[in-house]
Amino acid sequence: MTTPPASGARADRTAGPMVKAEAVHKRFGRIEVLKGIDLEVGRKEVMCLLGPSGSGKSTFLRCINHLEKVDAGRLYVDGELVGYRQAGNKLYELREREIARKRAEIGMVFQRFNLFPHMTALANVTEAPVRVKGESKGEATERGRALLERVGLGDRVGTYPSQLSGGQQQRVAIARALAMRPKLMLFDEPTSALDPELVGDVLDVMRQLAEDGMTMVVVTHEIGFAREVGDWLVFMDEGVVVEVGPPREVLSNPQHRRTQAFLSKVL
């Protein structure tokens, strides 16, 4: 079984899962990257995806907010189909404006920070709420300052990305995602591009988000973070979910030989 049972420490399942994947398939040309993914993420839960490069982790993450279109199966966020509407037995892709509206409800933080280099930290955080959600400049600025304070950068509001360290840029990127008031946060190896001494500050922000009840799906190789913060650890390999369970159980006593082989190299 690849769907976690309804027993996560923080889970709120009164309204169904926040993310539900049913037999999700994705191909790039002849290569089948996802081969039938079945997973659920409960509200307020943190699910960590672990596995070797090329296992499909990042592709699955990108499918959740329709940056990649699934070729078969169903993906739901907050009970609604991702990227499509269903009429009878057929699926019809949503118009781009509707897709963008839905995508705005899902925060995503990438390996590379993708900040606007010509904008200050505060402007990076306030741009989308003003342009996409129609917030007033004053409201967005007030919230942007609060979010930068929350990620430990309250004194850097007027600083440009080139003047920030990689870890600081990534924390601005997290604040930018939070500025859209997302119901779900996706993290695609958010610390992989950082120098080791900068990783801790980013993980601390993510820990606080988890404590505050944010639903999160995190592709990561940070084993300690997965063990301490994750409600579920999913090990993927070659486009399938190989093993899933509470992180401490999977890490201390992996059941599948592929999980065992991978963890023997990284622990």
Side-chain angles (χ1 to χ4, degrees):
M1 183 181 75
T2 56
T3 301
S7 59
R10 286 181 290 261
D12 174 5
R13 294 181 179 261
T14 58
M18 178 61 77
V19 180
K20 185 175 183 179
E22 298 178 342
V24 170
H25 289 256
K26 175 65 183 177
R27 305 182 70 92
F28 293 111
R30 296 181 179 179
I31 301 174
E32 190 174 21
V33 180
L34 299 177
K35 304 174 183 177
I37 302 296
D38 293 291
L39 282 174
E40 286 188 9
V41 185
R43 296 165 192 273
K44 301 185 179 182
E45 285 186 337
V46 178
M47 176 174 282
C48 295
L49 305 182
L50 196 66
S53 297
S55 58
K57 309 181 302 296
S58 294
T59 298
F60 176 63
L61 208 67
R62 292 170 65 86
C63 287
I64 293 175
N65 66 356
H66 206 60
L67 287 176
E68 299 290 353
K69 301 176 184 180
V70 303
D71 294 316
R74 301 282 195 277
L75 255 173
Y76 300 87
V77 170
D78 199 16
E80 297 185 0
L81 271 171
V82 173
Y84 298 91
R85 62 178 177 84
Q86 186 164 345
N89 293 324
K90 291 188 176 181
L91 290 182
Y92 299 89
E93 189 169 13
L94 298 176
R95 295 178 179 177
E96 187 57 41
R97 178 180 294 181
E98 182 68 7
I99 291 172
R101 187 179 70 81
K102 296 289 187 183
R103 190 177 288 144
E105 299 175 345
I106 303 172
M108 187 157 186
V109 179
F110 300 88
Q111 296 179 41
R112 298 291 175 178
F113 327 119
N114 297 336
L115 299 178
F116 296 116
H118 62 290
M119 292 184 179
T120 64
L122 182 60
N124 266 281
V125 173
T126 59
E127 177 75 1
V130 171
R131 288 187 175 271
V132 178
K133 300 193 77 171
E135 290 185 12
S136 70
K137 184 77 173 189
E139 179 186 2
T141 297
E142 182 179 357
R143 179 165 167 76
R145 288 181 179 275
L147 286 169
L148 287 169
E149 185 71 39
R150 181 178 179 183
V151 300
L153 295 173
D155 60 342
R156 297 300 183 101
V157 294
T159 306
Y160 289 88
S162 62
Q163 300 169 309
L164 297 172
S165 70
Q168 290 170 331
Q169 290 185 62
Q170 192 63 293
R171 284 184 279 154
V172 173
I174 294 173
R176 179 180 60 182
L178 292 173
M180 295 296 284
R181 306 178 191 271
K183 61 180 69 174
L184 168 68
M185 285 286 285
L186 309 176
F187 292 87
D188 189 5
E189 298 192 28
T191 60
S192 65
L194 303 180
D195 292 333
E197 65 269 22
L198 304 177
V199 168
D201 290 339
V202 174
L203 294 181
D204 285 344
V205 172
M206 294 170 65
R207 285 188 184 93
Q208 188 59 56
L209 285 177
E211 290 176 9
D212 292 344
M214 176 63 72
T215 308
M216 298 160 59
V217 184
V218 185
V219 174
T220 185
H221 291 296
E222 299 290 342
I223 302 296
F225 175 86
R227 181 187 290 112
E228 297 167 23
V229 181
D231 293 293
W232 303 104
L233 181 63
V234 175
F235 178 72
M236 292 180 63
D237 192 21
E238 297 183 353
V240 300
V241 172
V242 176
E243 191 163 344
V244 57
R248 293 178 186 274
E249 291 183 16
V250 174
L251 292 170
S252 63
N253 187 29
Q255 299 299 301
H256 198 284
R257 59 178 180 78
R258 281 191 280 177
T259 317
Q260 295 166 1
F262 178 82
L263 291 177
S264 71
K265 297 175 182 177
V266 299
L267 291 178

